[in-house]
């Protein structure tokens, strides 16, 4: 018969030691985690404090620059208004130059047998009214107007015969328009 050895107390001590080691490891790991968390939190708080100080400094600079920014905005709006006014002035000046040019070129293109009674000049339309004693003078006027720079881009929209003003005179109205899209003038 074998000699029996009671190992139960020894096993119980070993189990208690293992539990104690595990508790110490868990407690040490928890403490290490807490310390790491405290270190990281301290650094984050320091960085947040530095960021808040920098933000406060930037806000103070912005407050100092606010009048200058507002003045620059007012200057930009004034410049935009002046640019718009200048564009309108340029457009009006161009229109004022076009009217005398068109009148001068119409008179220069006019055959001597044609008398002009009315000239209306708009950006997209020119209307010429007059009378003549010679019917063949009207095609010469139309050809001369086509060659005039003030009438470049315009084509004959309508030729209307007006009531005779007496005797042998024949009244006419030429309506010349600028097409919205470029077209070939086949009226020749």
């Amino acid at each position: 018969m074998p000699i029996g050895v009671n190992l139960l107390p020894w096993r119980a001590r070993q189990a208690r030691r293992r539990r104690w080691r595990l508790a110490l490891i868990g407690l040490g790991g928890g403490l290490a985690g807490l310390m790491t968390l405290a270190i990281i939190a301290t650094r984050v708080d320091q960085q947040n404090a530095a960021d808040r100080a920098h933000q406060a400094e930037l806000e103070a600079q912005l407050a100092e620059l606010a009048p200058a920014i507002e003045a620059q905005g007012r200057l930009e709006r004034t410049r935009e208004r002046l640019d718009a006014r200048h564009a309108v002035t340029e457009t009006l000046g161009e229109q004022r130059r076009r009217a005398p040019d068109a009148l001068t070129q119409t008179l220069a293109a006019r055959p001597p047998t044609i008398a002009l009674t009315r000239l209306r000049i708009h950006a997209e339309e020119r209307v010429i009214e007059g009378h003549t004693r010679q019917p063949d003078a009207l095609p010469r006027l139309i050809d001369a107007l086509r060659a005039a720079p003030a009438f470049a881009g315009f084509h004959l929209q309508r030729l209307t015969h007006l009531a005779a003003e007496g005797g042998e005179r024949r009244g006419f109205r030429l309506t010349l328009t600028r097409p919205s899209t470029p077209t070939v003038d086949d009226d020749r």
Side-chain angles (χ1 to χ4, degrees):
M1 185 134 266
I3 301 178
V5 179
N6 188 1
L7 294 174
L8 199 53
W10 180 80
R11 287 184 182 154
R13 271 193 313 260
Q14 290 295 337
R16 269 186 305 221
R17 283 185 191 158
R18 275 190 298 240
R19 281 192 302 268
W20 180 251
R21 269 191 237 136
L22 271 169
L24 286 177
I25 289 172
L27 182 63
L31 287 174
L34 284 175
M35 288 178 64
T36 304
L37 187 62
I39 292 170
I40 291 173
T42 303
R43 287 189 180 173
V44 167
D45 282 344
Q46 289 172 351
Q47 184 63 39
N48 284 346
D51 289 345
R52 281 191 294 272
H54 183 66
Q55 182 180 0
E57 181 182 319
L58 290 177
E59 287 174 353
Q61 289 176 357
L62 182 63
E64 289 175 14
L65 294 175
I69 292 171
E70 179 60 32
Q72 195 249 346
R74 283 192 308 269
L75 288 173
E76 283 293 323
R77 289 188 295 274
T78 302
R79 185 186 59 80
E80 289 171 2
R81 282 194 310 270
L82 289 174
D83 286 346
R85 190 177 296 168
H86 178 69
V88 168
T89 304
E90 286 293 318
T91 303
L92 289 174
E94 179 62 31
Q95 289 174 355
R96 286 181 187 143
R97 283 188 297 274
R98 271 193 301 226
D101 289 347
L103 178 60
T104 304
Q105 291 174 17
T106 303
L107 291 174
R110 175 186 62 87
T113 58
I114 291 181
L116 299 179
T117 57
R118 180 179 291 172
L119 177 63
R120 285 188 316 203
I121 300 172
H122 299 289
E124 301 299 320
E125 181 181 62
R126 309 274 162 90
V127 178
I128 301 170
E129 292 184 16
H131 51 83
T132 183
R133 289 190 174 133
Q134 293 180 348
D136 65 332
L138 206 50
R140 287 192 315 235
L141 174 65
I142 293 170
D143 287 339
L145 289 176
R146 282 190 177 128
F151 291 89
F154 286 86
H155 69 278
L156 180 63
Q157 178 70 28
R158 190 175 8 194
L159 171 60
T160 309
H161 291 283
L162 302 177
E165 295 182 9
E168 301 169 5
R169 291 183 177 179
R170 294 182 180 181
F172 65 89
R173 178 183 298 138
L174 290 173
T175 305
L176 301 138
T177 59
R178 185 187 311 262
S180 57
T181 58
T183 60
V184 176
D185 188 7
D186 291 326
D187 293 335
R188 284 192 167 179

